[in-house]
Amino acid sequence: MTERETAEQYLEGYTEILASVCATHRRLSRDELEALRSRGERAAEAGIGLRTLIRSHLSAAQRVQPALSSAAAAHLLTAVGQAVDAFAEGHERAQHLAMRQEEAARREFIDDLLYGRSDLGRLAERAERFGLLLSHSHAVAVAQGPEPYDDGYAVTRAVETSLVARFGNRRILLTTKDGRLICVAPADEPEVLAHFAKQAYAATDGGQVAIGRSHAGAGGVVHSYEEALNALDLAARMDLNEPVLHAADLLVYPVLTRDRQAMADLVRSVLGPLQQARGGAQPLLDTLTAYFDSGCVTAQAARHLNLSVRATTYRLARIQRLTGADPGDPVQRYTLQTAVIGARLLGWPGELL
């Protein structure tokens, strides 16, 4: 049976309504309009397109016209307009409801996927509906910008359009969560997340993107997502300004803070004396940070601090006198640098350890 033949099933009583309305020159009654809306809803639920249905309504009206008097025929167009409008309203109402239900199902799936709150077997079945094969390995990229983003936002649409144009219908999931853009892609297609990172960085006007490591299974998606979130949080605490962060490159930081109390003791022991300096510890801590970030090149650190090389050298000498550790000595430098990293991770000296 063709779609047009199927559409005819939803025109039951339509010609009788037209004939009655045209004969009396009245408007369609409330019951007649509601019946047409109901048929429109059922047709939409059956998956029949609105254009096909409207053509069927017009064809039926043409079959009615020859049997009408000239006076009744003059009212036919008005009656058809009312009937088609009511039918289309019901069809659109069903479509909107289906879209809302689909959006709700998609959002529920994403929440379960990223938080691991559902049975993994059931989650894998649902994932196929949204284009993912959770039996494979996946990696997750998370992008954040100066403002929160949601599904349907211009930024989200721009990134999605670029991904579809570049990679077509590959098994990629693009969504939003807590104001961030999220992309889940197969682990064997790293170019997808690289492209997502580039487009998200541009679309968010210089935001930051973190990419988690690839992991297998449904639980692997959660793991990769958490790694990406932790990388963004670490970047905020460590003042890391790189546009794209890879969780694999930042594994040393969780290791250093695994024993928080030991790290706090190291920071207090090594850097605590800097608090005796005029102006407090922060300027000298900033000097050490710039010095280590520049590869221990004093001139480059001075440029970063907007200081002269002489002033920077003076600060480094001051640090050595207060701490007893020489930033230029390889062994002592390692202790100082580890303490500086710990201070940045723990928020010292701005926060209590």
Side-chain angles (χ1 to χ4, degrees), residues 17 55 65 69 120 191 241 269 331:
I17 291 175
R55 284 197 299 268
Q65 187 176 12
S69 65
L120 294 184
E191 66 276 10
N241 298 317
S269 175
V331 176

Side-chain angles (χ1 to χ4, degrees), residues 18-344:
L18 291 183
S20 172
V21 169
C22 290
T24 57
H25 290 194
R26 64 177 176 82
R27 295 182 61 83
L28 274 70
S29 68
R30 180 178 299 177
D31 290 342
E32 289 169 338
L33 291 172
E34 189 54 43
L36 288 164
R37 293 189 189 100
S38 179
R39 292 191 190 108
E41 288 183 358
R42 295 199 304 272
E45 291 167 357
I48 304 175
L50 186 57
R51 292 173 59 185
T52 299
L53 292 162
I54 291 177
R55 284 197 299 268
S56 296
H57 278 75
L58 296 177
S59 296
Q62 288 176 336
R63 294 194 298 270
V64 170
Q65 187 176 12
L68 300 176
S69 65
S70 58
H75 193 66
L76 179 60
L77 185 58
T78 301
V80 170
Q82 294 177 46
V84 169
D85 185 65
F87 192 92
E89 181 184 346
H91 192 280
E92 291 172 356
R93 187 163 60 189
Q95 292 279 48
H96 291 159
L97 177 60
M99 288 176 60
R100 287 195 296 270
Q101 291 173 338
E102 180 69 14
E103 290 171 358
R106 187 175 189 271
R107 178 51 55 188
E108 181 182 7
F109 164 73
I110 289 168
D111 289 343
D112 291 344
L113 177 68
L114 297 181
Y115 290 141
R117 297 185 301 200
S118 178
D119 174 75
L120 294 184
R122 174 64 180 146
L123 189 63
E125 293 178 5
R126 293 161 61 199
E128 292 189 28
R129 175 183 173 188
F130 299 99
L132 295 181
L133 291 177
L134 295 185
S135 58
H136 298 175
S137 295
H138 290 82
V140 181
V142 179
Q144 65 181 15
E147 59 186 37
Y149 308 104
D150 205 346
D151 295 341
Y153 278 37
V155 167
T156 309
R157 292 198 305 271
V159 175
E160 183 174 24
T161 299
S162 179
L163 281 172
V164 171
R166 176 74 179 274
F167 301 105
N169 294 322
R170 299 193 193 181
R171 296 184 177 277
I172 303 168
L173 177 65
L174 179 68
T175 185
T176 60
K177 183 68 178 174
D178 298 329
R180 303 182 182 93
L181 298 177
I182 299 168
C183 183
V184 183
D188 59 356
E189 298 187 39
E191 66 276 10
V192 173
L193 294 186
H195 185 75
F196 167 80
K198 180 180 179 180
Q199 297 301 316
Y201 176 74
T204 57
D205 193 23
Q208 196 168 40
V209 184
I211 301 176
R213 294 179 296 166
S214 61
H215 300 279
V221 173
V222 179
H223 194 176
S224 184
Y225 173 63
E226 291 177 344
E227 286 183 343
L229 288 182
N230 290 336
L232 290 173
D233 178 67
L234 182 65
R237 286 187 287 147
M238 294 289 293
D239 195 26
L240 304 177
N241 298 317
E242 289 84 354
V244 181
L245 305 165
H246 292 270
D249 298 334
L250 304 175
L251 293 177
V252 65
Y253 296 107
V255 172
L256 289 175
T257 56
R258 188 159 295 164
D259 189 339
R260 184 183 178 90
Q261 187 55 52
M263 179 59 75
D265 290 343
L266 176 68
V267 172
R268 277 195 296 261
S269 175
V270 175
L271 301 179
L274 298 182
Q275 293 178 306
Q276 303 171 20
R278 182 184 303 175
Q282 193 62 56
L284 297 181
L285 182 61
D286 292 342
T287 300
L288 280 174
T289 299
Y291 181 68
F292 293 134
D293 287 349
S294 67
C296 300
V297 178
T298 305
Q300 187 173 335
R303 286 194 296 272
H304 179 79
L305 294 166
N306 292 321
L307 295 174
S308 65
V309 174
R310 181 177 180 181
T312 304
T313 302
Y314 172 80
R315 284 190 179 186
L316 292 172
R318 179 68 170 154
I319 290 168
Q320 182 177 351
R321 286 196 298 271
L322 288 172
T323 64
D326 180 6
D329 180 85
V331 176
Q332 297 178 15
R333 179 172 64 225
Y334 176 78
T335 301
L336 272 174
Q337 189 167 8
T338 304
V340 168
I341 292 172
R344 294 167 74 178

